[in-house]
Amino acid sequence: MAKELTPRSENYSQWYNELVVKADLAENSAVRGCMVIKPYGYAIWEKMQAELDRMFKETGHVNAYFPLFIPKSFFSKEASHVEGFAKECAVVTHYRLKNDPEGNGIIVDPDAKLEEELIVRPTSETIIWNTYKNWIQSYRDLPILCNQWANVVRWEMRTRLFLRTAEFLWQEGHTAHATEAEALEETEKMVNVYGDFAEQFMAMPVIKGAKSENERFAGALETYTIEALMQDGKALQSGTSHFLGQNFAKAFDVKFANRDGKDDYVWATSWGVSTRLMGALVMAHSDDNGLVLPPKLAPFQVVIVPIYRKDEQLAAINEKVDEIITKLKAKGITVKYDNADTKKPGWKFAEYELKGVPVRLGIGPRDLENGTVEVARRDTLEKNVVELDNIDQYVADLLEKIQQNIYQKAFDYRTTHTTKVDTYEEFKEVLNGKGGFILAHWDGTPETEQKIKDETKATIRCIPFEGEKEEGKCIYTGNPSSQRVLFALAY
């Protein structure tokens, strides 16, 4: 079949690129660096969106929408923020086109220059804090707990579908609080929401922690992150939550009268995940046969394929399948019945394996006689013949097992690819050989972190919240260190 993939062991990067395209998740577009998310890929994103949106609302957040364009002057108000994003900004300078009098098609009308250039949103802190200034006068107006689902543009030259594109989809939460303690509590709460989503729905184990100063979001005092390990031993930052202190409130002069009647600056957070999670999902679980999707995020959890030679056989199978679908749907299971006669069953089996459908049911005339059905699970590729009587309960239980098994497999991979090292030599050896997460002592200085990065390309993924806080000596300088931090090569 034309669907064969380059094995992961041969070229992981090529395997990933081929799989995203062949499984119909996304493709490159006519616009350089931008992607088209295809219906099957978008269906997975919609599932992610729905679960995250529910989790946000359960924690008291509401959705709003802010402009795509941000006046250039807004960016100059928070120095470290603009410095962090300056190189990635797309800028709108004119507002009109016209026919070229020389007859060379359409040109930008030189008379239609904007008085002030507009930046296409790379992130929304500035426009949102300019807006919050009008919403906040007193402590009674706080907290504001807003989220927006939107697209952002960060001009990237070297792009990869889902992992890094010039335009991508995301959500960004922006909250305003009366006290530092409340804002810090929000920052922590949201990184935990992301962690729960990754583990419970994506079946992807993550390590939660704080970013080092070098790796922090531009304009934040603290950045908390969830870090996942991909099957090639590289880390992927999968969600971040930022404590912004009063930086943006000061930049946009957002003050409120506190309970004592005194004026104070508002405390802020922002947090987000993006379509990069789609890349994480592919890389964390899939194999050389194609996608492996956790049942909770699969566009459909079960596909049923009829196996027949004659039309009357198909009619009898259709009737039985209607009953099966009704029973499965009653259990909240999503099903696709593929009885199109344009493709043979073998082709369909390969196609749904490639697309990562968690459970496949194959049913033919002999199955009708015996009251059975063949059940194939995508994660282990095992097949069993099962009685039709309790098929709904059997499939429901199997989907739970698959969800758990996918998580366990990723967890075991991470465990065997997490290594403690005590010397710089050992660090380099593990990094270039085994790969994965490395727990090592670091003296806490940005200079040391930068030197390690320059020499090895490895970065501090996070300073983990959990795990023993054992003291030791920095692998690079030998200076004292209060705990091990998580290093890795990263996407």
Side-chain angles (χ1 to χ4, degrees), residues 76-89:
S76 51
K77 294 191 178 187
E78 216 289 334
S80 61
H81 187 65
V82 71
E83 196 182 327
F85 285 101
K87 292 184 179 126
E88 303 178 330
C89 288

Side-chain angles (χ1 to χ4, degrees), residues 142-393:
L142 295 168
I144 292 176
L145 306 174
C146 273
N147 172 61
Q148 84 164 343
W149 290 96
N151 60 338
V152 288
V153 170
R154 294 180 186 175
W155 215 255
E156 297 274 2
M157 283 299 126
R158 296 179 61 196
T159 60
R160 292 185 75 183
L161 294 170
F162 291 123
L163 295 177
R164 207 170 279 278
T165 47
E167 180 196 16
F168 54 92
L169 304 182
W170 79 348
Q171 58 70 216
E172 46 180 324
H174 295 270
T175 70
H177 305 267
T179 66
E180 179 180 20
E182 267 184 50
L184 273 165
E185 188 191 333
E186 167 80 4
T187 312
E188 202 171 313
K189 180 192 288 176
M190 295 322 291
V191 84
N192 285 327
V193 165
Y194 289 152
D196 290 349
F197 172 75
E199 299 197 331
Q200 291 167 23
F201 291 90
M202 294 178 69
M204 183 174 79
V206 293
I207 289 177
K208 292 180 275 198
K211 285 286 188 190
S212 62
E213 196 183 323
N214 285 4
E215 294 284 323
R216 246 178 238 152
F217 176 75
L221 300 184
E222 281 287 1
T223 289
Y224 297 156
T225 179
I226 57 170
E227 298 287 327
L229 190 61
M230 302 298 103
Q231 292 178 72
D232 61 345
K234 281 190 188 171
L236 187 77
Q237 175 183 295
S238 303
T240 48
S241 182
H242 315 290
F243 170 59
L244 303 174
Q246 295 171 306
N247 289 357
F248 285 91
K250 285 174 179 167
F252 289 88
D253 196 36
V254 186
K255 290 180 182 162
F256 72 107
N258 65 21
R259 285 176 186 274
D260 303 329
K262 294 196 178 95
D263 265 5
D264 194 6
Y265 285 107
V266 180
W267 296 85
T269 83
S270 68
W271 31 272
V273 296
S274 75
T275 34
R276 177 170 245 232
L277 288 181
M278 293 285 296
L281 196 68
V282 174
M283 289 199 292
H285 305 310
S286 301
D287 60 25
D288 292 349
N289 297 305
L291 290 179
V292 175
L293 294 176
K296 288 184 181 179
L297 295 178
F300 42 94
Q301 296 162 316
V302 177
V303 63
I304 306 175
V305 177
I307 301 150
Y308 64 96
R309 284 207 175 85
K310 300 174 188 149
D311 286 351
E312 55 270 26
Q313 290 175 329
L314 177 62
I317 293 169
N318 284 345
E319 207 174 303
K320 180 50 82 179
V321 169
D322 278 348
E323 290 171 32
I324 298 171
I325 290 174
T326 305
K327 286 167 84 173
L328 291 174
K329 283 186 172 171
K331 285 250 189 291
I333 295 164
T334 52
V335 195
K336 175 176 177 163
Y337 180 34
D338 187 349
N339 61 355
D341 61 4
T342 49
K343 301 276 192 302
K344 292 204 157 64
W347 189 95
K348 292 176 185 178
F349 290 173
E351 178 73 0
Y352 294 118
E353 195 170 281
L354 177 73
K355 288 192 162 185
V357 180
V359 172
R360 185 184 77 229
L361 304 184
I363 186 163
R366 192 170 296 160
D367 294 297
L368 290 186
E369 283 170 34
N370 299 338
T372 58
V373 62
E374 183 186 74
V375 181
R377 52 187 283 187
R378 175 62 187 87
D379 58 336
T380 61
L381 302 173
E382 284 172 63
K383 291 179 193 166
N384 283 302
V385 175
V386 176
E387 298 280 320
L388 269 174
D389 286 349
N390 289 319
I391 191 64
D392 50 341
Q393 192 56 52

Side-chain angles (χ1 to χ4, degrees), residues 57 90 280 295 358 439 487:
K57 285 168 181 164
L439 285 163
F487 282 92

Side-chain angles (χ1 to χ4, degrees), residues 17-78:
N17 294 337
E18 286 174 5
L19 180 50
V20 168
V21 172
K22 287 183 177 180
D24 270 343
L25 300 182
E27 64 189 27
N28 289 303
S29 76
V31 184
R32 189 178 165 191
C34 293
M35 64 176 164
V36 173
I37 303 175
K38 295 179 79 175
Y40 193 66
Y42 201 80
I44 300 171
W45 175 243
E46 280 180 318
K47 286 239 167 160
M48 289 182 169
Q49 225 180 349
E51 293 303 342
L52 283 163
D53 202 61
R54 176 186 59 76
M55 292 168 98
F56 297 159
K57 285 168 181 164
E58 277 176 9
T59 44
H61 300 87
V62 290
N63 288 333
Y65 187 79
F66 298 87
L68 173 68
F69 301 115
I70 300 170
K72 189 179 77 175
S73 58
F74 285 17
F75 267 85
S76 51
K77 294 191 178 187
E78 216 289 334

